[in-house]
């Protein structure tokens, strides 16, 4: 029988990226990966931590304990240098409406309108957590640096992807292919770091 593991997120863009990032290890460990859409009655986890790691840990542990299954979660966001790391953990609700990607990035661009190019450094951050029932296994962090544009470009990805021009590349994160984004991204780095812990959790370490 396959080993069921739950992706503790309601963000379908994240589910798609995570399935691609975990790719080969799903077959290797005979995993049956399910999203929270398989558990519509499960209450939302309140993200009241003040760090990415605290929120990722809380999401993974709450879902693992509620379902009695291993769970993976991430908490992620955009940290802007000149804003001291904001929107940070508030990235999904920066404009006041949770998950309104367009409103969030437009508000951020307006707030930064007067900031010169040389001070527009920013980066995505992702904390990825693996929990088994009763126990947090591990949390790992990944980063994806770039410079904020003045207008959105590209239609791939989600969230703030259209306004982060990737370091060492003329393109924004939304102009990368999904494979290119996952190879360089904060989420790719954080979840690839979890793979040895997944092997250990499923007895193949
Ligand atoms: P879950 O909590 O259910 O996983 P969520 O969308 O609320 O879903 P977060 O609390 O981690 O997830 O907020 C992530 C926000 O950060 C997301 O809505 C985007 O605005 C931004 N973000 C994170 N990763 C991103 C990425 O790869 N590309 C663009 N924006 C990203």
């Amino acid at each position: 029988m396959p080993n069921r593991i739950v992706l503790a997120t309601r963000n379908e863009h994240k589910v798609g990226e995570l399935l691609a990032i975990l790719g080969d290890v799903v077959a290797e460990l005979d995993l049956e990966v399910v999203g929270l859409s398989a558990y519509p009655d499960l209450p939302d986890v309140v993200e009241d931590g003040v760090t990415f790691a605290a929120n990722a840990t809380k999401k993974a542990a709450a879902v693992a304990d509620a379902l009695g299954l291993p769970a993976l979660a991430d908490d992620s966001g955009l940290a802007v240098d000149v804003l001291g790391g904001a929107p940070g953990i508030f990235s999904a609700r920066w404009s006041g409406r949770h998950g309104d990607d367009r409103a969030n990035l437009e508000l951020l661009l307006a707030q930064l309108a007067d900031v010169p190019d040389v001070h527009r450094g920013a980066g995505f951050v992702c904390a990825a957590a693996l929990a088994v029932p009763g126990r947090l296994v591990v949390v790992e962090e990944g980063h994806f640096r770039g410079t904020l544009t003045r207008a959105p470009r590209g239609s791939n990805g989600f969230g703030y992807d259209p306004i982060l021009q990737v370091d060492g590349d003329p393109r924004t994160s939304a102009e990368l292919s999904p494979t290119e984004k996952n190879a360089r991204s904060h989420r790719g780095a954080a979840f690839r770091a979890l793979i040895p812990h997944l092997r250990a959790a499923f007895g193949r370490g």
Side-chain angles (χ1 to χ4, degrees), residues 9-11 14 47 59 98 158 161 181 186-187:
T9 176
R10 297 210 182 271
N11 181 329
K14 284 189 189 176
E47 294 182 38
K59 287 190 247 187
H98 191 109
F158 66 102
D161 280 326
K181 179 184 171 187
H186 53 313
R187 187 163 295 104

Side-chain angles (χ1 to χ4, degrees), residues 79-148:
V80 178
D81 298 351
V82 75
L83 296 179
I89 56 169
F90 305 108
S91 293
R93 51 194 142 124
W94 191 237
S95 67
R97 291 186 299 280
H98 191 109
D100 188 337
D101 288 354
R102 195 70 194 188
N104 287 338
L105 75 78
E106 278 173 3
L107 175 60
L108 188 65
L109 287 180
Q111 289 166 324
L112 299 177
D114 295 335
V115 176
D117 291 349
V118 69
H119 293 304
R120 295 178 75 87
F124 288 126
V125 183
C126 174
L130 168 63
V132 295
R135 182 166 66 94
L136 169 73
V137 176
V138 70
V139 57
E140 297 279 359
E141 204 161 283
H143 299 263
F144 188 23
R145 286 287 307 180
T147 304
L148 293 176

Side-chain angles (χ1 to χ4, degrees), residues 12-189:
E12 290 304 318
H13 297 282
K14 284 189 189 176
V15 172
E17 291 190 7
L18 293 180
L19 289 175
I21 291 163
L22 295 174
D24 295 345
V25 89
V26 171
E28 178 196 328
L29 300 180
D30 192 19
L31 300 181
E32 181 197 5
V33 184
V34 296
L36 285 182
S37 51
Y39 303 98
D41 297 335
L42 205 66
D44 279 343
V45 179
V46 179
E47 294 182 38
D48 55 2
V50 296
T51 62
F52 292 111
N55 283 329
T57 301
K58 188 175 182 193
K59 287 190 247 187
V63 169
D65 291 347
L67 298 176
L69 289 168
L72 290 168
D74 93 24
D75 196 52
S76 48
L78 181 69
V80 178
D81 298 351
V82 75
L83 296 179
I89 56 169
F90 305 108
S91 293
R93 51 194 142 124
W94 191 237
S95 67
R97 291 186 299 280
H98 191 109
D100 188 337
D101 288 354
R102 195 70 194 188
N104 287 338
L105 75 78
E106 278 173 3
L107 175 60
L108 188 65
L109 287 180
Q111 289 166 324
L112 299 177
D114 295 335
V115 176
D117 291 349
V118 69
H119 293 304
R120 295 178 75 87
F124 288 126
V125 183
C126 174
L130 168 63
V132 295
R135 182 166 66 94
L136 169 73
V137 176
V138 70
V139 57
E140 297 279 359
E141 204 161 283
H143 299 263
F144 188 23
R145 286 287 307 180
T147 304
L148 293 176
T149 61
R150 292 187 179 275
R153 294 200 320 255
S155 53
N156 295 330
F158 66 102
Y160 300 88
D161 280 326
I163 61 166
L164 189 79
Q165 183 179 328
V166 178
D167 272 358
D169 198 304
R171 296 172 295 176
T172 67
S173 181
E175 293 174 311
L176 302 180
S177 71
T179 307
E180 288 173 311
K181 179 184 171 187
N182 292 336
R184 300 192 207 176
S185 79
H186 53 313
R187 187 163 295 104

